[in-house]
Amino acid sequence: MKETKKSRCLFILTVMLLMCFPVFAPGSLPAQAVPPVTAHLVAGDPVFLAGDPIPIQLEVYNNSGTDLIIPYGSLDLSYHRVITFSAPDGTVIRSYGQTPSDEPGPPVWFQGRYAVRVEVLPAGWSEYVYLPDARDYYDLSQVGTYSAQVMLTMATYSGYVTDTATGDLYAFYNDPGRSSYGPVMSNRVLFTVRPVEPGTVSPLN
């Protein structure tokens, strides 16, 4: 009797573990969701002389082929402040003015459930930002090779409810169609800053 009870407990424990940590056969791992928004980063030139402006351009676009319901303001960022640079010595360089206030606000209590304010991002939407000189926002004073990349957090919802009092749109956190993508990463751009040699003329002049 004791052995039967012990076996039953082990069976229940095994089932619980499998529910929490499912085992997949080789080659059957679930694929990661492809982000519906793409970010593309371009540096103005592969080589700059120290002291030259370093132009950067960024395009973010909805290439999902459908409208997206996203947290309000989650893509209404100063994109030139969300670029992360890696310096020649390996140091991670973030914007001078990067602050937590750029993140969407906390959840709200709406119609008896936790919700988040959302907006609709139309299919084909895009935003283009040109930064004439990245040094205005980042310390790029070292000479050597840098890398730059944009990383954005992303979530989508399957539906929303309109607040009749304000006209604001809300989606619920327990939405079964909610999907999270993160981070959404752009391509990585490489460029080099060279020291100015005596008699060297900047190609930008």
Side-chain angles (χ1 to χ4, degrees):
M1 179 67 69
K2 291 183 178 179
E3 190 66 28
T4 301
K5 185 175 181 180
K6 181 179 179 181
S7 299
R8 185 178 301 170
C9 290
L10 287 174
F11 175 76
I12 294 173
L13 179 60
T14 301
V15 172
M16 292 177 65
L17 287 172
L18 288 174
M19 291 176 64
C20 295
F21 306 99
V23 177
F24 297 95
S28 65
L29 291 175
Q32 290 186 333
V34 177
V37 168
T38 301
H40 185 69
L41 193 62
V42 178
D45 200 77
V47 179
F48 302 91
L49 290 180
D52 283 344
I54 301 176
I56 294 285
Q57 63 186 42
L58 170 67
E59 184 175 14
V60 182
Y61 48 95
N62 173 9
N63 62 343
S64 67
T66 186
D67 294 351
L68 299 174
I69 302 171
I70 64 172
Y72 184 84
S74 61
L75 289 181
D76 185 21
L77 303 175
S78 297
Y79 291 117
H80 54 274
R81 290 178 176 263
V82 297
I83 304 172
T84 298
F85 289 87
S86 179
D89 64 0
T91 304
V92 174
I93 306 171
R94 300 187 184 278
S95 167
Y96 297 130
Q98 195 174 51
T99 65
S101 62
D102 290 331
E103 297 297 327
V108 298
W109 191 251
F110 180 69
Q111 294 187 353
R113 288 184 285 174
Y114 281 112
V116 59
R117 188 181 174 192
V118 296
E119 60 182 316
V120 178
L121 197 68
W125 168 94
S126 65
E127 184 163 331
Y128 172 85
V129 175
Y130 177 72
L131 181 61
D133 191 352
R135 299 176 307 161
D136 292 340
Y137 297 92
Y138 301 87
D139 180 5
L140 305 179
S141 57
Q142 295 183 39
V143 294
T145 299
Y146 291 80
S147 68
Q149 190 171 33
V150 171
M151 290 183 284
L152 303 171
T153 56
M154 182 77 191
T156 61
Y157 296 82
S158 63
Y160 61 82
V161 175
T162 303
D163 184 342
T164 55
T166 64
D168 294 338
L169 311 180
Y170 289 94
F172 298 105
Y173 271 95
N174 62 355
D175 177 357
R178 180 178 183 269
S179 298
S180 295
Y181 312 86
V184 177
M185 296 187 294
S186 73
N187 57 306
R188 180 178 281 110
V189 171
L190 299 177
F191 63 90
T192 300
V193 175
R194 292 180 177 172
V196 178
E197 303 290 342
T200 301
V201 177
S202 169
L204 300 181
N205 292 333

